[in-house]
Amino acid sequence: MPRQQVLVFRELPPDQLARLQAVHEVTVANPRIEAQRDAFFAALQRAQGLIGSSYPIDAEVLARAPALRVVSSISVGIDNYDLPALRARGVMLCHTPGVLTETTADTLFALVMATSRRLVELANHVREGRWQRNIDERLFGWDVHGKTLGIVGFGRIGQALARRAALGFGMPVLFHNRSAVDVPAELPALAAHARQLPLHDVLAQSDIVALTVPLTDETRGLMDAARFAVMKPGAIFVNGSRGGVVDEAALLQALDGGHLRAAGLDVFATEPLPLDSPLRTHPKVTPLPHIGSATHETRQAMAELATSNLLQALAGERPRATVG
Ligand code: 8YV
């Protein structure tokens, strides 16, 4: 098979970069880094394969990639990719589902704990020398065990989150999902713990609401002022999906007006979060820098899968994880 031109647009672990270099001509250029952007677009002109994440591959980029055959995303989310434009060009899209499910569910449950028990706020209370006497009710958190968890989006990550909540913390789980889920048949361990309900009922009956939906035309702006108003007074909101699913101004109003108790956010409409965003310093918000899958083990596994997808596609084989 002739050596082909591969463009890596997000850093790969050395062992995975070496796998690509052993077979193809590889250029590494991350367009999110100003100093590498010209190199990215120069290499794009001759690239048959792309591998990376967190950069929009749209019709404009594709128009500058006349030889492109496959894009291998180091992500499970595919909202950065213009699917109709890729289809129109016959460019295959691969991604990395499955390998990051448990890690991302861990992150989401960590946000449930951190917001409910005020972990970051109270750690800072100690760090900043303000722990001068036993804490009182002004610094108490709220129990997690036994509370009702509402999950919006019941795919792999939502189901993994439900297992943690129901089987680990005795939490009844209510979930909304676009398609019907036969819990007794598909998820027998959750049969006695998880119920599918319409979105309104999940929001209205849950003490904690967690988003795990993908960002699509249907879910963009899903959590708006009306839906935050449906949530229980004093409820906690956690977002591990995409920032674009949330009307952030409406979230701030729900927090500032006292309707919502707290919010744990791993994703934002604009990332990195702008320094002037009120979400960055809001006392009721626990912000994380999009660390859903960001562990050494899982990012290595994602890179390995994405590299295998690309090598297989360029060799004319069927990759393990294609989109569509
Ligand atoms: C990563 C993610 O943040 O997989 C996704 O969709 O959001 C995360 O795993 C990111 O895409 C890094 O590759």
Side-chain angles (χ1 to χ4, degrees):
M1 177 185 66
R3 292 175 73 84
Q4 301 187 58
Q5 298 292 330
V6 168
L7 173 51
V8 178
F9 64 97
R10 179 152 186 186
E11 297 69 30
L12 273 177
D15 60 341
Q16 301 310 304
L17 185 59
R19 288 178 68 197
L20 292 173
Q21 290 168 329
V23 186
H24 298 296
E25 298 304 321
V26 179
T27 303
V28 179
N30 184 339
R32 286 163 61 105
I33 300 171
E34 179 72 30
Q36 298 182 24
R37 192 161 303 137
D38 289 348
F40 169 81
F41 283 107
L44 193 61
Q45 286 292 332
R46 57 183 186 273
Q48 280 96 13
L50 282 177
I51 181 170
S53 71
S54 309
Y55 187 77
I57 304 297
D58 55 19
E60 183 183 334
V61 169
L62 290 174
R64 301 174 68 168
L68 191 62
R69 295 172 48 210
V70 54
V71 179
S72 183
S73 188
I74 313 172
S75 71
V76 65
I78 54 172
D79 48 284
N80 272 322
Y81 302 96
D82 182 337
L83 300 185
L86 287 165
R87 287 192 198 103
R89 276 284 306 276
V91 174
M92 179 187 289
L93 177 62
C94 306
H95 65 152
T96 59
V99 292
L100 51 74
T101 299
E102 299 304 324
T103 296
T104 305
D106 286 350
T107 302
L108 270 164
F109 202 81
L111 271 175
V112 168
M113 294 299 295
T115 48
S116 301
R117 299 300 305 276
R118 304 168 65 177
L119 297 183
V120 174
E121 177 189 355
L122 295 175
N124 289 337
H125 183 77
V126 177
R127 284 200 179 108
E128 293 161 9
R130 287 182 278 122
W131 187 25
Q132 299 303 315
R133 57 184 177 279
N134 289 343
I135 67 166
D136 58 28
E137 64 282 353
R138 287 170 299 177
L139 293 177
F140 291 171
W142 298 274
D143 281 337
V144 172
H145 62 272
K147 293 288 178 62
T148 298
L149 176 65
I151 300 176
V152 181
F154 210 57
R156 297 180 188 88
I157 295 171
Q159 292 170 21
L161 177 61
R163 287 195 296 274
R164 282 153 178 78
L167 308 182
F169 287 75
M171 299 173 76
V173 172
L174 308 177
F175 69 90
H176 168 71
N177 198 64
R178 189 177 51 182
S179 55
V181 178
D182 183 347
V183 176
E186 300 172 42
L187 305 161
L190 289 174
H193 305 280
R195 271 192 306 142
Q196 184 165 10
L197 292 176
L199 177 60
H200 178 282
D201 296 341
V202 172
L203 298 178
Q205 298 177 31
S206 299
D207 301 304
I208 302 161
V209 171
L211 299 192
T212 63
V213 287
L215 177 58
T216 65
D217 291 343
E218 292 75 27
T219 64
R220 193 177 304 278
L222 179 79
M223 288 307 296
D224 57 13
R227 290 204 168 103
F228 282 122
V230 169
M231 289 177 61
K232 290 171 76 169
I236 290 174
F237 177 72
V238 170
N239 189 12
S241 60
R242 285 288 188 268
V245 179
V246 175
D247 175 340
E248 293 178 345
L251 172 58
L252 283 164
Q253 285 176 344
L255 291 165
D256 290 337
H259 181 63
L260 293 185
R261 177 169 284 162
L265 307 174
D266 187 41
V267 288
F268 301 88
T270 303
E271 296 182 4
L273 187 62
L275 291 178
D276 63 355
S277 168
L279 293 170
R280 187 171 67 84
T281 55
H282 196 288
K284 292 183 176 180
V285 172
T286 299
L288 294 177
H290 198 149
I291 63 164
S293 63
T295 63
H296 293 287
E297 301 92 336
T298 293
R299 285 297 172 87
Q300 177 70 23
M302 291 167 67
E304 288 173 5
L305 175 52
T307 300
S308 295
N309 283 338
L310 182 61
L311 288 170
Q312 288 161 344
L314 291 176
E317 301 163 9
R318 180 78 182 160
R320 188 176 126 194
T322 58
V323 174

